[in-house]
Amino acid sequence: MAELRWQDSGETRHVELEEGSYRIGRSSDNEIVLKDFSVSRRHARVERRADGWWVVDEGSTNGLKLNGGYVSEALLGDGDRLQIGNFELRFCSTRLPLETEVGSSTFLRPLAEFRADFRLERGEVPTKESSAASSRRERVLEALAQVARTLLEVEELEPVLEKVMEAIFAQLPADRAYVLLFTPEGKAELRIARSRGGANLEEAPVSQTILELVARQKVAVLTSDAQVDERFAAGLSVRLHQIRSAMCAPLWHRDSVIGVLFVDTPLATGCFTAEHLDILTALANYSAVAIDRARLNDSIREERRVRERLCRYHSPAVVEVIVDRKRAGDTDRIETREVSVLFADIVGFTSRCENMPPTEVARFLAEFFSLASESVFEFGGTIDKFIGDAVMAFFGAPLTQPDHAERAVRAALGIRRRLAAWNRSRREQGLDEVEVRAAINSGVVVVGEIGSEMRVDYTVLGNPVNVAARLEELVAKPGQIVIGEQTYRAVENLFPVEHLGEVPLRGLQGRLHTYRIRAEELTEGIV
């Protein structure tokens, strides 16, 4: 009478084969039950045919091996060895005395099966299991309970990776460990590599074959000796680096794989067990959650830093648009743009501050710069810089604003309006009034983050900027808003304007038509 025999938990088991068919798998309704995650629920069957006993693969995850080679079905002969997951079953055409047999294999652990076995699927109702399986799950969860809190309390990416290394060597008999994270382009990037003694490793001898298998199929892999396994025989790194006992688990979070954990013992075979792979798989999940959280925190900190820098130059509405662009990958760049440039300067600042203490000068300038910034931001402008007692701003960048000239004029009128309120407050305090002159010029400029490797500023460069500065310095009188010819053409139908004639400007060829906004004819509501 034929029989199958195998080792389970150190004991030799056997089943006598009579007529009919015998299903083999992890599920308890099989005739031959092999309780291990390396075995599919319906893995294979052995059936009697006219010419003898046949073995048939029923679509298992890890495949079916006969005498070391993968088969879909085959006729069994006396002494044939079936590899089903982590079990080796020997077929005997006649019944023999029981003997101790040892099996070894490489097998895969699908994430879906891991979630089911450890009750990670939503809405799954627990079922009764063998005490051995339940005990192993309890040991795995107990080992990871102490790891989870530590990982999830760390908020930055690099410390999280350090904690992952500590957890691996504390829980697993690995000699080396590696964390690789996938870039947005899908390339595996080594982030940290350590030996058990704590030494940093310069490179990761990770098999590309194993890496692709884990990432694409979302499985964890355990190999007792990658050198002799057919799945990895073609892998160059497996041969070059003499990879033997190894495990690789995907860093999976929210059904996406963001990287892998890889551990190995390069000089010894058979160092890892199914329980070790369970621990690595669960640890990879904890690690992925912690890494994803740390990356989010890093992103939030970077966005906060960007916002703080932008808020010095742009209105809140403009800041939101710029941040959204950065999220979409549209980074700052230097470009040509048509803008309107505004200069506003305090009249008689040098003589005013001659006898003032430095702290009073700073307070005085802070009040003026605040009201000027509020006016610029009110109309979506960008503060370029503060120059002594002057403010330089521009409109039309980084956001395209077809009405940039109108916005610049309204911002200048806003400065006048806020200045009037400030002067009323100063008069009540017995202080003298402050006068400001302003000038606006429009034209095509170069705009973007310009500077050196050490420092850059978001600024505008070009002749229209120089003209605006000269108009404010040489043409504008106290209380006036002077505009250049191109600005005039854009706003002549929007505001009352007076032609000031043609004037020469130092450093520029020819004479320029200049104009003045007759602000005294405007009511506050128009501004």
Side-chain angles (χ1 to χ4, degrees):
M1 180 180 294
E3 68 176 9
L4 288 173
R5 60 177 62 188
W6 68 96
Q7 291 286 311
D8 188 358
S9 301
E11 297 182 10
T12 301
R13 303 181 183 276
H14 70 105
V15 169
E16 295 180 357
L17 303 177
E18 299 178 355
E19 295 299 318
S21 176
Y22 295 79
R23 294 173 301 175
I24 306 172
R26 181 155 51 91
S27 178
S28 58
D29 59 355
N30 291 286
E31 283 75 24
I32 299 175
V33 178
L34 303 178
K35 278 289 186 180
D36 192 271
F37 67 76
S38 60
V39 180
S40 297
R41 287 182 168 82
R42 298 282 190 276
H43 200 110
R45 70 179 186 273
V46 175
E47 62 184 19
R48 181 71 177 183
R49 297 180 183 175
D51 53 350
W53 287 97
W54 284 68
V55 63
V56 181
D57 189 345
E58 294 202 324
S60 63
T61 300
N62 286 302
L64 172 67
K65 278 187 177 182
L66 177 63
N67 299 325
Y70 286 100
V71 297
S72 58
E73 65 174 47
L75 177 65
L76 296 173
D78 188 43
D80 281 350
R81 295 176 181 271
L82 294 175
Q83 190 73 50
I84 296 180
N86 201 29
F87 294 88
E88 187 177 83
L89 291 76
R90 183 179 177 186
F91 174 78
C92 302
S93 58
T94 57
R95 184 174 181 181
L96 297 174
L98 295 180
E99 59 186 37
T100 301
E101 300 186 29
V102 179
S104 63
S105 67
T106 296
F107 52 85
L108 312 181
R109 171 63 145 158
L111 293 186
E113 289 190 7
F114 177 84
R115 290 172 174 173
D117 288 348
F118 283 83
R119 303 290 178 261
L120 299 181
E121 295 291 352
R122 293 180 181 177
E124 184 173 344
V125 179
T127 57
K128 293 183 179 180
E129 299 180 283
S130 69
S131 59
S134 179
S135 175
R136 186 177 74 222
R137 185 172 68 245
E138 290 173 2
R139 289 196 301 272
V140 171
L141 295 177
E142 182 180 352
L144 290 170
Q146 55 187 304
V147 174
R149 179 176 297 178
T150 301
L151 275 179
L152 297 180
E153 283 179 351
V154 182
E155 295 192 351
E156 297 182 4
L157 181 57
E158 295 307 320
V160 165
L161 298 179
E162 293 286 346
K163 292 296 183 183
V164 171
M165 289 290 109
E166 292 177 11
I168 287 174
F169 291 120
Q171 301 294 335
L172 299 170
D175 291 335
R176 303 182 301 192
Y178 311 88
V179 176
L180 296 93
L181 300 180
F182 294 128
T183 65
E185 295 76 28
K187 181 180 178 181
E189 183 180 75
L190 179 64
R191 293 305 303 265
I192 188 170
R194 292 282 170 79
S195 66
R196 175 166 287 277
N200 291 320
L201 303 175
E202 296 298 326
E203 61 177 350
V206 180
S207 163
Q208 188 66 27
T209 308
I210 295 176
L211 189 65
E212 292 179 358
L213 178 66
V214 169
R216 291 179 181 177
Q217 297 188 20
K218 295 185 179 179
V219 296
V221 176
L222 185 158
T223 176
S224 296
D225 190 351
Q227 296 292 312
V228 299
D229 192 276
E230 291 180 6
R231 294 176 190 263
F232 314 123
L236 179 61
S237 58
V238 171
R239 301 193 304 274
L240 289 179
H241 297 288
Q242 291 296 300
I243 298 175
R244 292 194 178 278
S245 290
M247 294 190 296
C248 189
L251 291 163
W252 50 284
H253 181 43
R254 298 194 184 102
D255 293 324
S256 63
V257 177
I258 63 173
V260 299
L261 292 187
F262 184 86
V263 300
D264 70 358
T265 55
L267 301 179
T269 61
C271 295
F272 301 121
T273 66
E275 187 172 314
H276 291 144
L277 188 59
D278 267 345
I279 291 175
L280 184 69
T281 303
L283 177 58
N285 180 224
Y286 280 121
S287 300
V289 174
I291 289 169
D292 189 63
R293 181 169 172 267
R295 280 176 162 176
L296 177 60
N297 288 334
D298 288 347
S299 176
I300 291 172
R301 280 188 288 270
E302 174 62 17
E303 183 170 313
R304 186 181 298 121
R305 185 192 67 79
V306 170
R307 284 179 181 275
E308 289 173 353
R309 180 169 62 87
L310 292 174
C311 283
R312 294 180 293 176
Y313 307 107
H314 307 291
S315 67
V318 173
V319 169
E320 289 301 322
V321 174
I322 295 174
V323 170
D324 288 343
R325 283 182 176 178
K326 285 183 176 290
R327 289 195 192 116
D330 185 9
T331 56
D332 291 335
R333 59 189 184 276
I334 297 175
E335 58 185 337
T336 301
R337 188 78 69 83
E338 183 175 306
V339 303
S340 291
V341 182
L342 164 67
F343 279 87
D345 178 42
I346 296 175
V347 177
F349 175 74
T350 302
S351 59
R352 173 188 297 276
C353 298
E354 187 176 1
N355 298 316
M356 291 173 60
T359 54
E360 289 296 323
V361 174
R363 185 178 299 111
F364 175 80
L365 285 175
E367 290 188 66
F368 169 65
F369 290 150
S370 293
L371 70 86
S373 297
E374 289 172 4
S375 300
V376 170
F377 291 164
E378 181 182 0
F379 296 99
T382 295
I383 298 293
D384 188 300
K385 60 179 68 71
F386 300 121
I387 312 168
D389 61 322
V391 59
M392 172 185 169
F394 56 89
F395 299 78
L399 304 183
T400 300
Q401 297 166 327
D403 58 344
H404 53 82
E406 178 186 351
R407 289 170 180 268
V409 172
R410 293 193 182 280
L413 292 170
I415 292 176
R416 280 176 54 91
R417 185 177 69 250
R418 288 180 170 86
L419 183 66
W422 187 29
N423 280 329
R424 285 195 295 272
S425 175
R426 289 179 63 82
R427 286 195 299 270
E428 292 173 0
Q429 300 174 53
L431 302 174
D432 60 341
E433 296 186 9
V434 179
E435 289 187 297
V436 171
R437 54 175 176 257
I440 301 167
N441 190 48
S442 304
V444 176
V445 299
V446 173
V447 59
E449 291 198 337
I450 300 170
S452 67
E453 292 182 359
M454 300 297 294
R455 172 174 174 164
V456 296
D457 288 312
Y458 189 81
T459 188
V460 291
L461 299 175
N463 189 61
V465 180
N466 300 330
V467 171
R470 297 288 190 272
L471 289 176
E472 184 271 318
E473 178 185 4
L474 303 175
V475 179
K477 300 293 190 295
Q480 287 187 344
I481 301 173
V482 173
I483 61 175
E485 189 168 359
Q486 192 164 330
T487 307
Y488 165 75
R489 289 198 295 268
V491 303
E492 61 178 316
N493 296 321
L494 300 175
F495 305 100
V497 179
E498 175 187 350
H499 185 219
L500 298 179
E502 294 181 83
V503 298
L505 295 180
R506 186 179 67 251
L508 301 175
Q509 295 182 351
R511 300 170 66 88
L512 299 177
H513 287 278
T514 58
Y515 304 84
R516 176 182 74 87
I517 300 294
R518 298 203 304 271
E520 65 277 5
E521 298 180 18
L522 295 170
T523 64
E524 185 176 350
I526 294 178
V527 177

